[in-house]
Amino acid sequence: MSTTELSRNPGAAAEGSGADLVLSGITKRFTEFTAVDNLDLVIPSGSFFALLGPSGCGKTTTLRMVAGLEQPTAGSISIGGKDITGTSPYQRPVNTVFQNYALFPHMSVLDNVSFGLKRRKVRDAEVQAKAALELVELGHLAARRPAQLSGGQQQRVALARAVVNRPAVLLLDEPLGALDMKLRRQMQVELKKIQTEVGLTFVHVTHDQEEAMTMADTVAVMNHGKVEQMGPPQELYELPRTAFVANFLGKSNLMPATVTGDAGEFLRINIAGNELTILKDRAADHSGKILVGIRPEKLSMVGESAAPAEGSIRGVVLDASFTGASTEYLVDAEGIGTVGVFSQNHGGALFDDGDKVRLAWDPAHAFGLSGSEDREAGAGEDGL
């Protein structure tokens, strides 16, 4: 189905299409706490943007303020340069897809999708609704009621109903939360495909880091009402700038270290008596105490006698968990504590509890955080 069929919608919602969403100094205070704290965001038109963070970080409140379901305590929201801060939800070029889909149970699928168009008296409402259903590959189920559909199909109907209005911004509030894991992953791919085809701005709220990284062009990691770090998913994963981002977006080993010298493009560092190096441009601080981070899959592990002492750290295997494609180890690293290692199962040696090992990594894969960071920040939150 070509997206030009959907773009013919002459409704007022299309007025803001092709416009950036800008949040300036947005704050939302409730009686006992501040949910969103002086937030500035520019979300480019046509992008897939994710607000990622644990429960209570302010991401859903931010989404609700953009939708007009909450009013900010301070700050402004604009789309295409037009201030919409004080406007009602129905006056905004915005549609929202919720986790519970909110479909009308007494209406057919086609009537659900065409409902908004018919209320605005759009002439070819049914034609556009059918085109939207074809986009989500449900044209053959137009006559059914929502109760006759699976959860994934209902989610697609809700998406078609939102997309058919051609909003400038489509808000997705944990839209895949009610689906099982297999269907979630399938829908992640399909949502990204639909967003690319229709060219709308998608703002997706989720606590699931895999979901955000799979679909979004840009991810903003939120914590306590503020953005900790924002950028492309790979950049956030490979080079987190705070301990919270390092721990929340996947798993990280964070180790206290001291910078001991300068070696050109590298810094010499000491970790628990071991001399190692880290790239300067991957370190937040170049002197004093720092936290050195390394992802578990970037660590190499060999038997104690198989590696030179220099540039590696002694450890003892505490636990080994075979997961199919890889084995996940917990290692008691000397002077550091428990370190995680993910080792691909490609026929190499496997280690057992109690084995003495050495850990090493390529300096290009490590990152350095400020020594004032809390190495436990973000660990155990409700991401993955």
Side-chain angles (χ1 to χ4, degrees):
M1 191 216 77
S2 68
T3 58
T4 53
E5 293 178 73
L6 286 176
S7 65
R8 293 177 189 153
N9 180 357
E15 186 178 313
S17 294
D20 293 351
L21 168 63
V22 179
L23 282 65
S24 301
I26 287 293
T27 297
K28 180 62 179 179
R29 297 188 190 93
F30 292 98
T31 306
E32 297 181 351
F33 71 102
T34 299
V36 180
D37 189 4
N38 196 29
L39 181 64
D40 292 312
L41 278 179
V42 177
I43 300 175
S45 172
S47 65
F48 200 129
F49 190 94
L51 288 171
L52 172 69
S55 298
C57 73
K59 60 187 187 297
T60 297
T61 301
T62 300
L63 193 84
R64 288 176 62 82
M65 287 190 285
V66 174
L69 302 175
E70 297 278 0
Q71 280 298 307
T73 307
S76 65
I77 301 170
S78 66
I79 296 178
K82 181 179 179 180
D83 192 325
I84 62 168
T85 314
T87 60
S88 301
Y90 71 89
Q91 296 175 308
R92 302 183 179 206
V94 168
N95 274 119
T96 307
V97 178
F98 296 101
Q99 183 175 336
N100 63 2
Y101 315 134
L103 300 175
F104 299 117
H106 61 288
M107 291 184 182
S108 69
V109 164
L110 183 61
D111 287 341
N112 263 279
V113 176
S114 63
F115 179 78
L117 300 178
K118 288 179 176 178
R119 284 195 67 182
R120 298 204 314 274
K121 300 186 174 9
V122 175
R123 283 183 305 169
D124 57 349
E126 202 158 287
V127 172
Q128 291 192 44
K130 287 179 179 177
L133 283 173
E134 290 296 333
L135 178 69
V136 298
E137 300 180 355
L138 288 180
H140 61 295
L141 300 180
R144 293 194 183 181
R145 300 283 177 86
Q148 296 174 294
L149 305 179
S150 68
Q153 290 169 336
Q154 290 184 46
Q155 197 267 359
R156 293 187 200 189
V157 173
L159 183 63
R161 184 176 62 181
V163 166
V164 78
N165 291 306
R166 295 299 296 171
V169 178
L170 183 62
L171 306 174
L172 303 163
D173 186 10
E174 301 274 9
L176 309 183
L179 306 180
D180 63 49
M181 181 60 70
K182 182 178 179 180
L183 188 53
R184 261 179 105 138
R185 293 190 174 174
Q186 179 185 338
M187 286 305 302
Q188 287 170 11
V189 175
E190 294 188 12
L191 263 178
K192 179 59 180 175
K193 178 183 175 185
I194 289 168
Q195 188 270 335
T196 301
E197 288 186 13
V198 299
L200 297 180
T201 305
F202 279 27
V203 180
H204 179 205
V205 160
T206 181
H207 68 276
D208 185 330
Q209 55 95 4
E210 181 182 322
E211 192 169 292
M213 293 175 72
T214 298
M215 295 189 289
D217 305 313
T218 303
V219 177
V221 181
M222 291 190 69
N223 183 31
H224 297 308
K226 294 179 178 289
V227 172
E228 288 261 337
Q229 189 176 345
M230 182 171 70
Q234 184 175 353
E235 178 184 302
L236 296 187
Y237 185 82
E238 297 290 349
L239 193 57
R241 291 302 189 185
T242 69
F244 181 89
V245 174
N247 287 324
F248 187 78
L249 205 63
K251 296 180 179 180
S252 288
N253 298 302
L254 299 180
M255 299 168 280
T258 302
V259 176
T260 59
D262 189 305
E265 62 180 326
F266 295 93
L267 295 173
R268 293 191 184 92
I269 57 174
N270 184 289
I271 301 178
N274 300 286
E275 297 298 325
L276 299 107
T277 59
I278 185 173
L279 284 167
K280 282 182 182 175
D281 61 5
R282 293 179 61 84
D285 292 339
H286 292 177
S287 63
K289 303 289 185 182
I290 64 172
L291 275 183
V292 171
I294 186 74
R295 297 289 186 182
E297 72 277 9
K298 303 292 177 66
L299 272 171
S300 63
M301 187 167 73
V302 296
E304 185 179 33
S305 61
E310 187 176 349
S312 64
I313 296 172
R314 284 192 181 90
V316 177
V317 175
L318 298 175
D319 182 71
S321 300
F322 180 82
T323 62
S326 66
T327 299
E328 299 185 10
Y329 296 98
L330 292 179
V331 177
D332 181 14
E334 196 172 274
I336 298 168
T338 303
V339 170
V341 181
F342 297 168
S343 178
Q344 290 295 309
N345 293 327
H346 46 62
L350 296 178
F351 297 95
D352 295 319
D353 295 4
D355 283 354
K356 294 182 178 181
V357 295
R358 282 192 178 272
L359 307 176
W361 59 85
D362 184 335
H365 293 153
F367 52 89
L369 307 178
S370 168
S372 63
E373 287 280 327
D374 174 9
R375 66 189 289 201
E376 299 299 325
E381 298 281 5
D382 57 353
L384 295 184

